Amino acid sequence: MKRQCLWPGVGMSSHLLRAVQTARRASIALVASLAGAFAVFGVLLSLWLMTTLWPFGRLDFKRAVLLEQARDRRNAGGISVSNFAQVREIARSYAAVGLVQFTTLYVRSQDGLESVDAALISPEFLTLFRAEIPYGRAFESRDEPWSSGPVGLVSESYWRSRLGASSDVLDRRLVTSDRFSPDIPIVGVLSQRFRGFGYFTNRRIDVVLPVPIRSYEKSGRNGMIVTAIALLAPGVTLDMARREAALIGAELERKDTRNRGLSLTVRPATGLFAVVQQRLTLA
């Protein structure tokens, strides 16, 4: 006798049961695939952060500050080269004080003159951002007087694309149209991992020169406004640095009539990281 199911729907056919089991296995496989994809994405994201954001994050922004001057309470948006030199020599609130300014250099090549984005920096700027120099050396204080003219660093990308990754790069010179620096010996190659300039400009910097600090600058005669960034010394608070800056500003005003109405200010550099994040997002 043919058996009947007492409850309709309970006697599920074998075909339907296999379909349900297949669908369940497929959903499990899909979840596993998504989990694997997210894991790969996480690894790639970590690598991207290490090669892009991590070099930016090398600076301790909790202790980083910007030094600026104002004249008659009008902020200059930076500090003059001469006043930077004085602050760097006098101030005790900072572990390091660095300077950066951007310009365009015209380098002679076989095709004629080519414009190259360049940076003028103090040696401390490379120290603050922990620059890596795979070939040659970084700038030193002896490079600042420009006794025999400036020396230069080239970026790793410039070394590869314009100098053919030449092994004799440290024996090369950049010939320029600048009458103050017509011949620049290359003393080092700046690693492509360096991102310190990205805090301050969107330009791709391929040549780096030491800012000249000579008797002209030390005597207060160079009023060119530059960006100065410093790292607070251990145990120094922002308020302590501001009090010292006020005293130094008053002293500079007293010593030099060109600094009449001068005041020095210190502000946190934390906003620079937000600028970098915005630039990376727009890129």
Side-chain angles (χ1 to χ4, degrees):
M1 177 184 290
K2 185 176 180 181
R3 300 180 60 185
Q4 293 183 349
C5 180
L6 297 178
W7 299 99
V10 173
M12 186 180 294
S13 69
S14 59
H15 293 293
L16 182 57
L17 181 61
R18 283 197 296 272
V20 170
Q21 292 173 339
T22 301
R24 184 180 298 169
R25 285 194 294 269
S27 64
I28 293 173
L30 177 62
V31 170
S33 298
L34 289 174
F38 277 114
V40 172
F41 174 76
V43 172
L44 294 176
L45 179 62
S46 299
L47 291 174
W48 181 81
L49 288 172
M50 288 177 64
T51 56
T52 304
L53 283 180
W54 182 63
F56 283 107
R58 287 183 162 194
L59 184 64
D60 183 0
F61 278 99
K62 293 180 180 178
R63 295 171 54 213
V65 294
L66 294 172
L67 309 180
E68 296 176 339
Q69 70 181 43
R71 196 177 299 278
D72 297 325
R73 298 188 177 182
R74 290 195 298 271
N75 195 301
I79 189 171
S80 73
V81 174
S82 289
N83 287 336
F84 164 83
Q86 295 289 327
V87 170
R88 185 177 63 174
E89 184 176 344
I90 298 171
R92 296 293 176 263
S93 294
Y94 313 109
V97 186
L99 171 157
V100 64
Q101 178 68 359
F102 302 101
T103 187
T104 300
L105 198 64
Y106 291 91
V107 178
R108 299 188 185 278
S109 67
Q110 294 179 346
D111 301 324
L113 285 177
E114 64 172 350
S115 62
V116 177
D117 287 327
L120 291 164
I121 65 170
S122 67
E124 295 86 357
F125 186 85
L126 296 176
T127 303
L128 281 167
F129 291 95
R130 302 181 191 176
E132 298 171 0
I133 309 293
Y135 304 100
R137 65 172 178 85
F139 291 148
E140 301 169 358
S141 58
R142 61 188 170 100
D143 298 319
E144 288 187 329
W146 282 30
S147 302
S148 303
V151 296
L153 301 174
V154 295
S155 69
E156 191 170 348
S157 62
Y158 187 87
W159 170 62
R160 294 184 186 281
S161 63
R162 305 303 296 164
L163 302 179
S166 173
S167 60
D168 65 345
V169 62
L170 301 181
D171 297 323
R172 296 278 196 99
R173 292 173 176 265
L174 298 176
V175 180
T176 78
S177 63
D178 192 305
R179 63 191 180 95
F180 296 107
S181 52
D183 187 65
I184 303 173
I186 299 172
V187 297
V189 175
L190 184 60
S191 170
Q192 63 186 2
R193 288 177 53 81
F194 184 72
R195 297 291 189 273
F197 298 129
Y199 286 111
F200 309 96
T201 183
N202 283 323
R203 300 160 71 177
R204 190 182 74 178
I205 303 302
D206 282 325
V207 176
V208 187
L209 306 177
V211 68
I213 303 292
R214 305 155 294 192
S215 58
Y216 179 81
E217 282 74 27
K218 292 180 179 180
S219 63
R221 289 179 288 171
N222 191 336
M224 182 178 73
I225 298 298
V226 296
T227 299
I229 185 167
L231 201 64
L232 293 176
V236 175
T237 65
L238 182 60
D239 286 339
M240 292 167 65
R242 283 173 170 163
R243 286 194 294 270
E244 183 189 49
L247 292 173
I248 294 175
E251 178 66 12
L252 294 178
E253 182 185 22
R254 186 188 65 80
K255 288 170 55 178
D256 194 336
T257 56
R258 283 168 291 211
N259 280 327
R260 184 174 293 127
L262 177 77
S263 62
L264 296 181
T265 60
V266 179
R267 65 181 178 91
T270 50
L272 290 176
F273 188 67
V275 172
V276 171
Q277 285 182 315
Q278 183 181 18
R279 286 177 181 159
L280 291 172
T281 302
L282 293 176

